[in-house]
Amino acid sequence: KGHHRLLTRIGIDLTGRAQVLVRGQPKQGPHRLHIGFHTRKGSDTIVKGTLIRRRNQDSLAVLTPFGTTKSQSFFAVLDGHGENGHHISLFVMQILVTGLKKFVLRFEPMRALKEACALANSELSTNKKVDSYVSGTTAVLVLLTGRDLYCCNIGDSRCVLGRKFGDLVEAISLS
């Protein structure tokens, strides 16, 4: 429910269960974006006779256009873990987005991504309101600038690009 509000607030139409169609794209053309995602909570478990219900600790950002230009888009998927993983992934995502908006104006794209990650790490380690002692998050970030794609990951999150050739789709690992 929280993710749906976030997606609606940033201007995305949800179509189907796990496909996102970004508003403002041309109806036809060679560079139409199709963005898909899938998320699920971890398995429930029993510890010492007590049922422990897991919660979905993922956070997602799909921002297009991003920054000051219409030719730029930003995508992030974060996978929280630990007792406060859901809080950590959301907190880090928000820092990444606000930081990257500033850094993308000052630096080339790859450095802007690195600076945003460093900022998120610094903010997480100094913020007393978010307990990251036994919790954390992994992340994969993609910055699309015109036809150039920049990708980085934190931890074991990975990104795969699907390239369509006729009826076939080729999977290309980006991280």
Side-chain angles (χ1 to χ4, degrees), residues 127-144:
N127 190 304
K128 303 293 183 210
K129 294 180 182 176
V130 181
D131 181 8
S132 61
Y133 182 69
V134 293
S135 301
T137 189
T138 65
V140 65
L141 316 172
V142 172
L143 182 62
L144 181 62

Side-chain angles (χ1 to χ4, degrees), residues 6 57 59 78 85-95:
L6 175 66
Q57 297 183 315
S59 293
L78 294 89
H86 54 293
H87 295 300
I88 303 290
S89 68
L90 185 59
F91 177 80
V92 169
M93 181 195 58
Q94 291 169 339
I95 298 299

Side-chain angles (χ1 to χ4, degrees), residues 8-164:
T8 302
R9 190 172 68 233
I10 61 177
I12 295 172
D13 291 325
L14 295 180
T15 58
R17 283 192 173 163
Q19 185 177 7
V20 177
L21 180 63
V22 182
R23 287 188 188 144
Q25 291 188 71
K27 297 286 182 204
Q28 296 179 2
H31 305 297
R32 185 167 171 77
L33 292 174
H34 294 275
I35 303 151
F37 66 93
H38 174 76
T39 183
R40 67 183 180 107
K41 69 181 184 72
S43 301
D44 293 339
T45 188
I46 297 177
V47 177
K48 296 182 182 177
T50 304
L51 177 65
I52 306 295
R53 295 234 179 247
R54 304 284 183 193
R55 68 183 331 156
N56 190 329
Q57 297 183 315
D58 298 346
S59 293
L60 167 74
V62 178
L63 302 169
T64 185
F66 179 74
T68 60
T69 174
K70 289 185 178 183
S71 66
Q72 201 166 56
S73 300
F74 175 68
F75 311 95
V77 177
L78 294 89
D79 181 12
H81 54 269
E83 186 176 323
N84 297 309
H86 54 293
H87 295 300
I88 303 290
S89 68
L90 185 59
F91 177 80
V92 169
M93 181 195 58
Q94 291 169 339
I95 298 299
L96 287 169
V97 169
T98 56
L100 189 59
K101 281 183 179 178
K102 288 188 294 188
F103 295 130
V104 82
L105 296 173
R106 298 192 329 220
F107 304 119
E108 56 86 21
M110 212 52 221
R111 180 164 176 205
L113 285 168
K114 289 178 184 178
E115 294 289 336
C117 290
L119 175 66
N121 188 55
S122 174
E123 290 285 327
L124 185 60
S125 64
T126 59
N127 190 304
K128 303 293 183 210
K129 294 180 182 176
V130 181
D131 181 8
S132 61
Y133 182 69
V134 293
S135 301
T137 189
T138 65
V140 65
L141 316 172
V142 172
L143 182 62
L144 181 62
T145 304
R147 294 178 56 105
D148 297 321
L149 191 143
Y150 303 89
C151 178
C152 71
N153 64 299
I154 302 166
D156 64 359
S157 288
R158 299 288 178 253
C159 182
V160 177
L161 173 74
R163 183 179 294 165
K164 192 169 182 179

